[in-house]
Amino acid sequence: MKHILSVLVENRPGVLSRVTGLISRRGFNIESLSVGPTEDATMSRVTAIVMADDVAFEQITKQLHKLISVHKITDLTDEGAIERELALFKVSAPPERRSEVIEIANIFRAKIVDVGRATLTVEATGDDAKLTGLEDLFRAYGIKEIVRTGKIALSRSSHD
C-alpha cells in the first residue's frame, strides 16, 4: 500500500540523510520525496511516499520517532490530504503546431514559462492523474524533457 508520510524535522545538515537512510535500510523504496522549510525556519517538512504494508509502515514510523531530530510524524494516507506536484514539460512546438500545445496547456490550467524557436516549456501543478494526463497529450507532439517534483501534502483544515 502507498503511504504518504509527513515528517517535521530539524532544519540541520544530515537530518534528511538519516531519515531516508532509516527507510531504505529496511528495504523500502521511497517513491517520491520532497523537502522544504516550514513557517519555523529551524524546521523542515519531509514528505515521502513509501510503498509498504501497514505492519511495515508502523515499524518505519516507530523507528523514525527514535531519531532525535524528528519532531512530528503524520500519516496523511487516509486523511483526504491536499496533495500537489509540480511538473515542467519541454514540448516540441514548431510554429505551425504551437497554438495546439498552448490550447492543451490552457485546458489543464498550466502556464507557458519559456518559448524557444521550436519548443515551449510548460509548468503545471496538480495531482498525479492531471500531470500524467497532460504528459500523455504532450507525447503526441514530442517531449524533449520532463522534470517532476516529489509530491507534497498537507492535512485538510477541520471545518468547525
Side-chain angles (χ1 to χ4, degrees):
M1 178 178 181
K2 186 182 338 187
H3 290 273
I4 304 169
L5 185 64
S6 177
V7 185
L8 193 61
V9 299
E10 293 174 6
N11 189 5
R12 295 184 323 165
V15 172
L16 176 61
S17 177
R18 284 192 292 283
V19 168
T20 57
L22 187 146
I23 295 169
S24 63
R25 272 194 310 276
R26 279 152 184 77
F28 299 103
N29 186 42
I30 299 172
E31 189 174 296
S32 173
L33 179 68
S34 183
V35 183
T38 66
E39 63 284 355
D40 177 351
T42 66
M43 304 297 276
S44 289
R45 184 173 318 281
V46 177
T47 305
I49 311 299
V50 180
M51 294 296 289
D53 61 37
D54 290 339
V55 173
F57 184 73
E58 185 177 340
Q59 178 189 7
I60 291 169
T61 58
K62 284 180 180 177
Q63 293 296 316
L64 285 172
H65 275 295
K66 293 180 182 178
L67 295 177
I68 294 170
S69 53
V70 172
H71 289 261
K72 183 178 180 184
I73 300 171
T74 308
D75 180 5
L76 298 174
T77 307
D78 297 324
E79 287 193 19
I82 301 165
E83 302 174 26
R84 293 293 183 269
E85 189 175 354
L86 168 70
L88 294 173
F89 302 93
K90 187 179 288 185
V91 183
S92 293
E96 63 274 8
R97 298 200 72 194
R98 188 161 287 182
S99 63
E100 296 170 36
V101 174
I102 292 169
E103 189 174 333
I104 291 169
N106 288 339
I107 290 168
F108 281 82
R109 293 190 180 118
K111 293 188 240 176
I112 307 301
V113 293
D114 188 48
V115 178
R117 288 186 184 176
T119 62
L120 290 174
T121 302
V122 180
E123 171 190 309
T125 58
D127 61 19
D128 184 58
K130 175 182 175 178
L131 297 181
T132 300
L134 189 55
E135 179 180 338
D136 290 345
L137 290 172
F138 283 158
R139 287 211 180 276
Y141 297 90
I143 296 176
K144 299 286 189 184
E145 292 181 64
I146 298 175
V147 63
R148 287 175 72 159
T149 63
K151 190 177 289 189
I152 57 172
L154 279 177
S155 59
R156 292 192 179 271
S157 300
S158 59
H159 299 285
D160 299 322

